[in-house]
Amino acid sequence: MSSICEDILANGVITITGECKGCDACVKQCPTGAITVNGLGTKHAIDPEKCVNCGRCLVACPFGRIQDVSMVEDVKAAIAAGKTVVVQPAPAVRVALAEAFGAEVGTNAEGKMFSALRELGFTVVYDTLFSADLTIMEEGYELLGRIFKSLGLPGYENAGVLPQFTSCCPGWVRYAELFHPEILPNLSTAKSPMMMLGALIKTYGAKNLGVNPADVYSVAIMPCTAKKFEASRPEFISSGYQDVDAVITTRELAEMIAEAGIDFASLPEGEVDKLLGTGSGAGVIFGATGGVMEAALRTAYAVVSGEELAVLEIDAVRGEGALREATITIPLNADLKAATGAESVDVKVAIVSGVENVEPVIEQINAGTCDYHFIEVMNCPGGCINGGGQPIEHSIF
Amino acid sequence: MSHIERIIGDPATITRREAIKGAVTVVISAILASGIGTFAISSIEKAKKYITTRIGGLYSQDAGMTLRVSHANPEVITLYETFLSPGAVAPAESELSHRLLHTVYGSDVEHHIAHLKEVSIEEAIEETDASYLGAAHAAE
Ligand code: SF4
Ligand code: SF4
Ligand code: SF4
């Protein structure tokens, strides 16, 4: 493990510099009360024991006085050393990267992003979209197992408890570990899309590329500062190596592109590499609050009913409210009808946007009154498109 | 030190930990975006507009795609059929899918690390192959 990762595990990703003006803008955004205030106008500090590394404070600081640990130099060194440097960009990166080069907010620059990554010297370009789909398969089947267990179906005795929480947001996972260890059995055991792809790149990927996994350096481009902490966690060695070697943010990628003198706007529309590069629209919407839920419901519906949803847009889970809920009725396929004696199952779901808004849900669980099956939690309001690693365009304010 | 770092100054504080560069990056994004690097106070309302517009960018990409459900992703199907559960699409089932795609939390982490170090990835692949391909042979 690199010394940067050890530093991150010990001290966290986010730091306030000596130049803090004590204006309190960051304190209002912090979901965990991790920022120590000695008084308005005095220098603030972050307590790593309470910080979930989300960078919401960094985005909020009007003076740019909050910083995140950078792994960019490590990545450049790996490229310069001629390693097989494999990269995966997250869904939310493609709709924010172009903003840093003056494009309209929300512009989708997927093709130019792939081209830029190749120009920067990355050897293989895969896509976190692929593993977002894989996450839906693993997490979706896990959820169905928990639901079937609750219905008393045989063969699911070992499934976990309900409700099931999503586990793809490392800000939320850290929040649960630090403040609510009692609900950890409710967290899906599925890794995040980034960590799934990391584990596959150094096994299945390396085998298919015909390279030694020891020579592979795996990089993730994320809208997120908490992902730097996640990749550094010591348990992510399932490939026999550190599964993801470095995480760089959308902001840092923009900086690398600018520094390399690449004219982003005139780049051609590039292509992703096959094998671990194809993703569905369900993977794309992972970057938005409610998106993981919608993606999971599209697949759960197909598995449970044996038919595809007639309308794939599930408006009931869209929106930007801090805590939303919906009930989706799924007709049962013939086997499940026979096993349960029912015609359909009502799946109750909730979506939490902004990790602090999970508190009422956890209260319900602890009181034994929670009847949700599946709950999506995103640390950042709006989801990863508003993550702590996204471009900050102070010029619009 | 780059030109831009010199413009914004404060090098002494930025090097508290060498690797920390976020604030520098923030300013660079502002410069990239505006061309002049103006700085002003953020407002919640404008941030909300950002969120809605970026979400819209994702929803419209999804709407324009032909592949829109995870279970139809051909590369995902190939991954299961050739590696995770040979000969079958069996999510969250094989030894290999548990090892590579699932994790544990909190106080269980230490034990999990020990397990990952004790059982090699090669052994997990062998065990998975044996149970799926072995079962297929038995069924023939
Ligand atoms: S927002 Fe920035 S300047 Fe204001 S208190 Fe927080 S770190 Fe200090
Ligand atoms: S990174 Fe997130 S949790 Fe940590 S101090 Fe900043 S806002 Fe709070
Ligand atoms: S919501 Fe997304 S960007 Fe924010 S902490 Fe979670 S994973 Fe990171």
Side-chain angles (χ1 to χ4, degrees):
Chain A
M1 189 186 293
S2 78
S3 60
I4 300 179
C5 295
E6 278 164 28
D7 180 28
I8 286 175
L9 289 175
N11 303 312
V13 176
I14 310 288
T15 314
I16 298 178
T17 72
E19 304 305 294
C20 164
K21 302 203 185 272
C23 71
D24 272 8
C26 57
V27 178
K28 295 189 190 103
Q29 267 304 311
C30 178
T32 68
I35 302 176
T36 331
V37 187
N38 301 313
L40 201 62
T42 64
K43 180 176 159 24
H44 293 17
I46 294 173
D47 178 357
E49 303 286 307
K50 286 192 192 161
C51 174
V52 300
N53 306 294
C54 65
R56 278 168 62 176
C57 53
L58 185 159
V59 175
C61 178
F63 304 101
R65 297 302 197 240
I66 305 185
Q67 309 173 333
D68 57 326
V69 175
S70 170
M71 301 177 168
V72 169
E73 292 309 318
D74 240 51
V75 173
K76 286 183 186 163
I79 293 173
K83 293 203 170 197
T84 301
V85 186
V86 182
V87 68
Q88 52 158 319
V93 175
R94 66 209 72 204
V95 288
L97 181 61
E99 286 170 26
F101 302 97
E104 292 266 318
V105 179
T107 301
N108 192 314
E110 185 177 84
K112 291 190 194 304
M113 173 184 75
F114 293 143
S115 297
L117 291 170
R118 291 190 201 278
E119 291 249 330
L120 287 170
F122 291 99
T123 331
V124 180
V125 180
Y126 289 146
D127 200 334
T128 317
L129 281 191
F130 165 86
S131 47
D133 283 336
L134 186 61
T135 300
I136 289 302
M137 298 296 275
E138 294 289 316
E139 188 166 4
Y141 275 74
E142 181 189 2
L143 173 66
L144 292 177
R146 293 180 192 226
I147 294 177
F148 292 160
K149 179 188 184 183
S150 77
L151 295 174
L153 294 188
Y156 295 96
E157 293 77 12
N158 293 330
V161 293
L162 287 173
Q164 176 174 303
F165 282 106
T166 55
S167 57
C168 44
C169 166
W172 154 234
V173 169
R174 191 82 188 126
Y175 185 93
E177 284 184 326
L178 290 176
F179 306 110
H180 290 288
E182 75 278 11
I183 59 92
L184 291 178
N186 297 83
L187 274 192
S188 165
T189 62
K191 287 180 185 173
S192 69
M194 173 180 86
M195 292 318 311
M196 284 195 186
L197 193 47
L200 289 171
I201 283 169
K202 293 197 183 182
T203 53
Y204 178 74
K207 199 176 93 188
N208 280 276
L209 291 167
V211 296
N212 181 347
D215 297 329
V216 173
Y217 187 89
S218 178
V219 182
I221 317 283
M222 293 285 137
C224 178
T225 49
K227 289 276 168 193
K228 295 181 181 184
F229 184 89
E230 183 185 22
S232 302
R233 292 178 64 131
E235 66 269 33
F236 290 132
I237 50 167
S238 59
S239 62
Y241 302 87
Q242 189 176 342
D243 293 332
V244 170
D245 292 291
V247 172
I248 63 182
T249 60
T250 313
R251 271 199 305 280
E252 287 166 330
L253 176 62
E255 189 188 356
M256 283 176 80
I257 293 169
E259 212 182 78
I262 296 168
D263 179 5
F264 187 79
S266 59
L267 282 171
E269 299 298 315
E271 296 278 328
V272 74
D273 286 313
K274 295 291 164 213
L275 190 74
L276 298 168
T278 301
S280 74
V284 170
I285 59 176
F286 256 62
T289 170
V292 177
M293 182 58 70
E294 183 168 337
L297 288 172
R298 289 179 187 177
T299 288
Y301 190 96
V303 173
V304 169
S305 72
E307 289 159 27
E308 295 293 336
L309 270 171
V311 179
L312 289 172
E313 289 80 7
I314 307 177
D315 288 331
V317 301
R318 295 193 176 188
E320 288 161 39
L323 176 56
R324 319 189 301 271
E325 57 171 30
T327 303
I328 310 290
T329 302
I330 307 182
L332 298 179
N333 65 28
D335 288 352
L336 288 170
K337 262 185 205 157
T340 59
E343 288 293 312
S344 64
V345 58
D346 283 345
V347 178
K348 277 203 78 173
V349 304
I351 294 124
V352 176
S353 169
V355 75
E356 62 277 24
N357 303 310
V358 77
E359 287 298 329
V361 178
I362 293 178
E363 253 169 55
Q364 281 181 28
I365 294 175
N366 289 339
T369 58
C370 178
D371 62 354
Y372 299 129
H373 294 104
F374 194 29
I375 304 157
E376 175 198 298
V377 184
M378 290 298 153
N379 175 88
C380 302
C384 305
I385 42 92
N386 186 36
Q390 294 284 58
I392 306 163
E393 301 193 19
H394 295 268
S395 60
I396 64 145
F397 296 127
Chain B
M1 194 193 303
S2 76
H3 178 60
I4 289 174
E5 281 170 325
R6 271 198 304 279
I7 293 175
I8 66 156
D10 302 353
T13 58
I14 286 168
T15 53
R16 190 185 77 75
R17 272 190 281 155
E18 276 248 301
I20 297 185
K21 287 182 62 196
V24 178
T25 320
V26 170
V27 177
I28 288 176
S29 336
I31 291 168
L32 290 171
S34 62
I36 47 168
T38 44
F39 234 83
I41 311 291
S42 64
S43 90
I44 301 286
E45 277 315 305
K46 294 234 173 87
K48 277 194 182 141
K49 204 188 101 210
Y50 257 71
I51 293 172
T52 311
T53 319
R54 285 179 183 159
I55 288 178
L58 291 178
Y59 281 146
S60 61
Q61 184 181 355
D62 166 47
M65 290 170 80
T66 34
L67 176 62
R68 294 186 66 192
V69 294
S70 304
H71 51 278
N73 183 328
E75 290 184 352
V76 168
I77 294 170
T78 304
L79 172 69
Y80 282 112
E81 287 181 337
T82 64
F83 186 65
L84 292 175
S85 48
V89 178
E93 200 184 272
S94 73
E95 175 66 21
L96 207 46
S97 102
H98 279 113
R99 182 193 177 98
L100 295 177
L101 309 182
H102 290 260
T103 188
V104 300
Y105 306 105
S107 55
D108 295 341
V109 167
E110 222 164 294
H111 179 254
H112 185 62
I113 294 174
H115 170 76
L116 289 173
K117 288 185 173 162
E118 200 181 287
V119 183
S120 73
I121 176 71
E122 290 78 16
E123 286 171 273
I125 292 174
E126 263 170 44
E127 195 184 320
T128 298
D129 282 354
S131 66
Y132 282 84
L133 299 174
H137 281 301
E140 271 167 20

